[in-house]
Amino acid sequence: MPRLLHMADVHLGARHRDLGAAAQKQRDRQFAAFRRAVDVALEQSVDAVLIAGDLFDSNAQPKRSAEKAASELRRLAEGGIPTVIIPGTHDCYDQTSIYRALDLAVLAGLRAGDSRITILTPERPDVVLLAADMIVYGRMFESKKAPRSPLAGFDTSRETRASHRVGLVHGALVIPGVVESDDVAFTTDEIARSGLHYLALGHWHSFQQGRAGFTTWAYSGAPEPVAVDQDGAGQVLLVQLSSPESTAPPSIEAVPVGRTRFRSLDVDAANVHSQADLVRELRAYADPDTVLEVRLSGVAADGVDLQAEEIGRELGGDFLGVRMRNSSVAALPEGPLPPAETIAGAFIRDVRSQVEAAEARQDEAGAVELREVLNLGRVLLDDPSRVSLV
Amino acid sequence: MRITSLHVRNIRRHTDLAVEFAPGLNVVCGPNEAGKSTLQKGIEMALFRKATSASQDLAELRPWSAAPTDDPQIELDFDEDGVHGRLIKSFAGPQGSVSLEMGGETLTDPGRVDHAIAELTGLPSEKFYRSTAGIRHSEVSTLDGEDGGLRDRLQKSMSGADRGTAQAKRRLQEAIRQYRLEGTRNHGPLRQARDAIARYRAELSKGEAELQRLERDRAGLAAATTRRVALDRHLGEEEGQLAHAEHAVDLVAKERDAQQRYERYKRAAELRVEIDGLERGHLSGIPLDRLRDGVDRLRQTEFDISEIRAELASEPDPSTYQAAPVPSGWKVWATIGILLVIAAIGVGAFAVISGAIVALGAAVPLALLGAALVIRAGRMRALAADVRRGNDLLEADVHRRLRGRSERHDRVRAAERERDAILASVMAPDMAAAERLLVAETERLASIARLRAEERGRLGDLGSDGDMAGLRDAAAAEAEQARHALTGLRGDGRDPSAERMRLRASVEAMRHQRDSALGEEGQARGRVEANEVDAERVAAVAESLDEAEARLHQLERRLRIYEATHEAIEKAEGQTMQKAARFLEQHMGRDIAALTGGRYRRIQVDEQTLAFKVFSPERGDWISSTSLSRGTLDQLYLAARLGLVRQLTGDRQPPLILDDPFVTFDDARATNAVQLLKRLSADFQVIYFTCSNRYDTLADRVIELPEPLGRDVEDGADPGGTLPGDSADGSLKPAVVSRPGGAASAQLEGPSLWDEAEPVS
């Protein structure tokens, strides 16, 4: 029975606007994951490689990027493994499509139209892979936003050209109450009516699978995470199809290819005694493959001034990237206050009343800043050497 | 609040020390390292330190010889408006405990106890205490009379902590200045961030424009490709139609050709019939060449016969031939001659031998005669031979003639036989019949040849092989077929040639358009390939821009916070300083009068700087405090300093703890200063730590600490070595002498300080 390698959402050339200097490293890692996926396909001698959209992050990717990707596809072609690709939502098949402007087969050193690299488009909606006795359907439109469901009215049960029927779709599965709409959306009922043996999906960056009627569907997830909170990313899928006569579902095995991990830590600022302590504690998670996101929240301990940017800089060398999200607020003074007749007392009372006024008018950002004013003023009045200002 | 007693355990050298205090002015005296600082520290710890504090300095308070369970402990008894209270703190790090008993209520929660003590003392923190009720020994002694020094120190009291605001403000101002720095070379972080953003924005804008251009170019390429493909398709269709038209034209030609062939085959078939008829009409069945050959041979034979016969007729008769007679007698003559010769020879020989010359003359004629006879005999012989030869030839000729005649007769007979054979072979009875037969056959064959020539002419390149009728029918069918196909093609009724011409023009035009589209496609591809924009590079710029914007946002936020903090501090400073200035102006006039013996009675306090001016009646003008004598200035400062304590603590009257601030004063100056304290002690309990006994007379109670007997690590003093008197565990239990001071007999001058007198100024 045919074995497939299913991947999607490689997003070559993606922008990582929140990774700063680590962004280029992450792009390199995305390509490395793609390369490892090709290695897996060759090692496992699969019958076909399916890429369910968003191989490229945009249609404006340079020819050089396409050549790099094509050089990997060439390895597959030389190994006798056909590749079937559909455009996604980032590299959609509009007039600017990279697939219209560049011929991946030619870039891979093959002749135009070589059956070993197939881009499915509305003009060429399917391809029969004779060696695997399999037909692969690509369901997409010539626009980023689909005018209708890509699976609307799609039924392959009467197909006679091949025994195994596999679909490729890049879009979101409608899950009532969770995912109601998307640029490209389809339903489990439509999947069930498709008559496909396997539906290879792309668009969601985390691995998910399910069964609708006779059809097994799966999102492979991105080979390398493209953004935080993509815990299910980092792998490709090896899919072993069952006999067409059998009702047994295909077996799906996730093979890790990605290296980058995203770790999110929620830190209650109240438990942080000093910035140095926090840096020391965060350093315990040091890992060059990890992008660390630290969300500082809560009320900072009295007199502790946490500078997220400084923390990020200090930890930069220990992680692939560090993102500090400081939503903590400085503490309002507790305990006995200096008398109102003192400068500190007058300062605290004045700023605290401003904080209360800001909070009363629901100016949260203003209130947070005023809390910092209060904290900074108190620290400075208490001991100016405790805080670094520049 | 007034402390009535203090009991410390396990603090530095004091494993167990208890002292009692009077409500007024207490002087704790003792030599250096006697433990004054320990007692002072004990009071401060009891009032302001959390029992659970884990500060290193607390850990260092433990006597080095103390057992682990011997935690520092302080019991402080006090009186608050006639109500006795007891505060007990046991310092054991996180396990430390606190207890406050007062008015029948006991508090053990550290936070609540801190609140209660702050309420009782009006001192919310240790730092606040240090800047108000706690007066260090260097505070007054180093006062140099400068406005700035006075102001700073008083402002420190005002700050609410133990520092002034100047340093905080300076740091904020410096930070704000640094942030906003826009020098020609050095730029502050804000400017740097803005410059970086501007740079990244420009770069990104360019990059994005290039990317958009790439997308446009790619769209253009896709459109050009689509157009070219459409034209390819259209051209293909047109070429198909042209091929159709070409086919129709071919069919027309084919039909015409087939029709022509039909016509030719048709005539050829007719000719074939004629030829067949002629061929079947052969008279003798003998091929013409044989017939002609036969006739020719007949003619020759007849000729030969006639010729031979003519010869025979012309030849003479051999029977008439006669031989010539052969001459004879040559031999007789020859013999006579020979004999005569021989006789001559003999006579001659005789003559010679006999010498008979006359004989010799007879011999010669004889010899000549003999020779003539011999010659004659020879001639006669030759003639006879010629005759015989002639007769032989004649005989041979006759013989030959006879033989030739016979041969001719034979030949005539043979020729006649041959003629008969030829006549038989040509099946003609005679020569004339043969001649007629030849003429008839020649004419027939000429007709056939003529017909064949016509046939060849008709068929031409078609070739004359095969069945003409069949070929004719095939051509007819072919023509019919072409006509039929043509009928199908001529559905629109257009002329194929005209249609072909039209389509050829159309295809040509379409090819031109397609070539043009191909060129445009190539140009579009060239534009796309010439655009070297690197999306990843643009992405990196966008990412850097985001980072820079985030940084700018942070910097602007920090700057706003710094500015707001600075502004709020200035505002608080302004408010409090104004109040303090007015408070001091209202309450210090009488003190000034008392301190200066009535010389100055009015005081002005600058609300910005807390600088003092006193009104000099002599000059009729305000003079700066720096013009006052050093002693007056000390008192003025103390009055103001302690006045601020009153202002800042309201009516709570915390105990004032002084760490010998007058240590560098001479006796007169010190006495003046202590007199001020004495007056103050009516409202505040004063505890004055000193090495000197010069204040004893004004004290309500003097607590003497003994000389240190052993090692004392207090105040960082080098323990040196173990001195005599040390207890076994290294601790010391001093003998404290507490006695009433001389205050009972001392006469205080002037009214009590801060008695809510009417303002002087």
Side-chain angles (χ1 to χ4, degrees), chain A residues 15-17 23 27 59 61 64 95 307 309 339 341-344 350 368-369 372 382 384 387 389, chain B residues 127-128 158-159 163 171 208 218-219 222 534 538-539 543 546 551 557-558 560 562 568 571 576 648:
Chain A
R15 290 188 185 186
H16 302 284
R17 302 191 74 154
R27 275 191 285 276
N59 278 327
Q61 293 306 311
R64 184 178 55 78
Q95 283 299 299
Q307 295 298 313
E309 209 178 12
E341 290 76 13
T342 63
I343 296 170
D350 174 33
V368 168
E369 279 191 24
E372 287 199 36
D382 180 63
V387 59
L389 294 183
Chain B
K127 284 186 174 175
F128 186 68
M158 291 285 310
S159 71
R163 289 170 193 273
R171 296 208 57 191
E208 296 283 20
R218 281 183 175 171
D534 184 338
V538 179
E543 287 148 2
D546 280 351
R551 176 160 168 70
R557 185 170 182 277
R558 291 303 292 175
R560 279 200 306 277
Y562 292 169
K571 183 180 166 193
T576 51
L648 298 178

